[in-house]
Amino acid sequence: MALRVGVIGGGQLARMMIAPAVELGLELQVLAETEGMSAQLAASAVGDYRDLEAVRAFAADVDVITFDHEHVPQEVLRALVAEGVVVHPGPDALQFAQDKLVMRAKLEELGVPQPEWAAVRTEDELQVFIDAHHGAGVVKTPRGGYDGKGVRVVRSAAEAQDWLDGLVAEDALLVEELVPFVRELAQQVARRSGGEIVAYPVVETVQRDGVCAEVIAPAPAASERLSQVAEDIGRRIADGLGVTGMLAVELFETDDDRILVNELAMRPHNSGHWSQDGAVTGQFEQHLRAVADLPLGSTALRQPWSVMVNILGGPEKGTLGERFGAAMADYPAAKIHTYGKAPRPGRKVGHVNVASDDLDDAVYTARAAAAHFL
C-alpha cells in the first residue's frame, strides 16, 4: 500500500507536489480551504484548517501530515501529535515560522546572525529603538504576514500607532533595524527526521512591491565564503529547530559583507521554484522525500544557471491558457507552470523557469516567456 501524505492547504505549493508524489509512488491527499483551489486535482477533503475536528478527520486517512502554508494553529497541531499523528514539520519546529518574535529569540539563542531587533508594546518603546538605530526601524506583525503584508518601514513611532493600539494582552510588535543590504538571498535546505540534510545553492531573489519577482540560481558573483556561510546558516537552523521537510531561509547581504537572516519558511518556497527544472531533485520532490522519510535527492544543478520569473497578475483580457501556445512557440526552452488561479492584479498565478549555460540568455528568455502571460 502506498504511503499516504496529507497536505493541509490547497494552494499552488500543494498543487506542485502532485506530480512528484505520483513519480515517487506516494498517495497525495489535500485538505483544501474551499472548492476549486489550485490543488483541486488532489483535494480529497474541503475544510477549515483551524477546525480541529475537520483536520482530525482528514488526518485519519493519511500516514503523515505536511503543509502548503504555516497557518495551522498550534493547538490543532499539538492535539494531532498527542493522538499519534505524524506531523512534519512538527509544531515544535513550525512555531518558529509562525511567530517572528519566537523565531528571533530562538535564532539569537542559536547564535545565528540576524538584524538587531526588539519586542515593543508602546509608542515610547518603539521610539527608543528607532532613535537608537539611525532614526528608522522595520515594524512587523509577528504572525500572519507574507509577501510584504504586515511590514512597515517607519521613522516615527506614530507611524505604527494603529498597530500598537490594536495589541491585546501580552501581544507585542517586532521591530528590526533597517538593514543596509545590497541584495536579498535565499538558502534552502531539506532535512529528514533522523538528521540527514542536503543544501541547495544560495540564490539571489529580486523583490518588487514586497513580492518575489525573480530568482537567479546560483546567486551571481557569490564568493565561496558567502556560499559556505549561507549553507552553514541553513544547516544550523534546520538542525537547531528540528525541521523535517524543506526549509527556506531568506537572507540579507549587507554593504559591509554580512549575511543576516530575514525570515523563515518551513515548506517549499517561491525562492526554490527554479529547482523544479534546474536541479536534479526539485524542492517539491525533496519535501515529499523528507516528510516520507525517504533518502534525500541530489541538489546538483542541471545547467550552470537557472532563472525563475513569477507571473504576477495575469492577462488583462482572456485567460492564461490562451497564452500558452505563443509562449511555447517563441521560447521552447522555457518551462511554464501555472497555478489554476484566476488573474488578479499582483496575484501570483504562475512562473517560468529557464536553465541555461548562459545567465543573460536565461534571464532574457524567462522574462520574455513570462511576458506572454501579462
Side-chain angles (χ1 to χ4, degrees):
M1 180 177 174
L3 185 76
R4 301 166 300 172
V5 178
V7 182
I8 297 179
Q12 66 260 26
L13 302 182
R15 176 190 180 96
M16 288 183 276
M17 292 184 207
I18 296 173
V22 172
E23 293 165 355
L24 291 171
L26 303 173
E27 180 185 323
L28 195 77
Q29 298 186 32
V30 171
L31 175 63
E33 292 88 334
T34 60
E35 299 283 354
M37 293 189 70
S38 292
Q40 60 183 316
L41 286 172
S44 56
V46 174
D48 187 344
Y49 59 81
R50 297 163 298 188
D51 181 346
L52 175 58
E53 291 309 314
V55 175
R56 180 183 278 139
F58 175 69
D61 292 325
V62 299
D63 300 304
V64 58
I65 289 287
T66 191
F67 309 96
D68 169 89
H69 57 73
E70 292 106 340
H71 305 313
V72 182
Q74 279 283 311
E75 56 268 25
V76 172
L77 297 176
R78 293 188 183 279
L80 293 182
V81 171
E83 294 164 9
V85 177
V86 179
V87 178
H88 291 319
D92 286 345
L94 202 61
Q95 64 179 323
F96 301 109
Q98 293 178 323
D99 189 309
K100 296 179 179 66
L101 281 170
V102 174
M103 175 196 75
R104 286 289 178 221
K106 184 64 175 180
L107 295 186
E108 189 170 287
E109 178 185 318
L110 293 174
V112 172
Q114 58 181 340
E116 293 186 16
W117 64 280
V120 295
R121 297 176 178 82
T122 68
E123 185 174 347
D124 286 345
E125 289 177 345
L126 177 53
Q127 193 61 53
V128 166
F129 185 93
I130 292 170
D131 292 342
H133 292 83
H134 309 289
V138 181
V139 180
K140 299 180 178 181
T141 55
R143 303 178 69 87
Y146 65 97
D147 286 347
K149 300 177 177 68
V151 179
R152 289 181 187 171
V153 176
V154 301
R155 287 173 172 80
S156 165
E159 296 175 49
Q161 191 61 55
D162 56 331
W163 284 0
L164 290 165
D165 290 343
L167 294 175
V168 297
E170 298 302 312
D171 285 353
L173 297 177
L174 169 65
V175 60
E176 301 171 355
E177 65 172 308
L178 183 59
V179 174
F181 64 89
V182 294
R183 61 175 172 174
E184 293 184 70
L185 305 170
Q187 175 66 57
Q188 282 197 308
V189 299
R191 182 180 183 274
R192 288 171 74 183
S193 58
E196 179 192 0
I197 296 180
V198 295
Y200 288 84
V202 64
V203 302
E204 179 175 343
T205 67
V206 179
Q207 315 291 319
R208 298 196 183 103
D209 298 323
V211 178
C212 180
E214 298 181 1
V215 175
I216 301 174
S223 67
E224 184 176 345
R225 172 191 166 277
L226 183 150
S227 298
Q228 190 59 58
V229 168
E231 180 176 331
D232 288 348
I233 287 172
R235 288 175 176 272
R236 194 188 321 174
I237 293 173
D239 267 338
L241 305 188
V243 175
T244 297
M246 288 298 306
L247 169 70
V249 184
E250 297 181 63
L251 302 162
F252 293 127
E253 181 182 1
T254 70
D255 57 6
D256 57 357
D257 294 326
R258 291 179 297 156
I259 303 297
L260 304 177
V261 175
N262 181 18
E263 296 191 357
L264 306 178
M266 291 182 196
R267 51 173 169 77
H269 188 257
N270 203 166
S271 64
H273 288 353
W274 67 271
S275 66
Q276 287 175 289
D277 305 296
V280 172
T281 310
Q283 66 166 345
F284 298 99
E285 177 184 341
Q286 199 78 276
H287 185 72
L288 290 170
R289 285 177 178 238
V291 302
D293 202 24
L294 298 170
L296 300 179
S298 169
T299 59
L301 294 168
R302 293 184 178 276
Q303 292 276 9
W305 298 102
S306 287
V307 174
M308 183 225 67
V309 174
N310 271 328
I311 302 170
L312 299 172
E316 293 184 5
K317 296 181 180 179
T319 66
L320 287 166
E322 294 168 352
R323 309 297 181 96
F324 267 86
M328 295 168 76
D330 289 350
Y331 302 102
K335 303 291 286 185
I336 302 162
H337 304 265
T338 56
Y339 306 157
K341 291 182 172 181
R344 190 175 69 208
R347 191 182 202 188
K348 293 178 185 175
V349 295
H351 66 272
V352 174
N353 287 334
V354 175
S356 174
D357 59 5
D358 182 270
L359 176 56
D360 289 341
D361 173 68
V363 171
Y364 172 81
T365 302
R367 288 176 178 173
H372 272 283
F373 296 88
L374 303 177

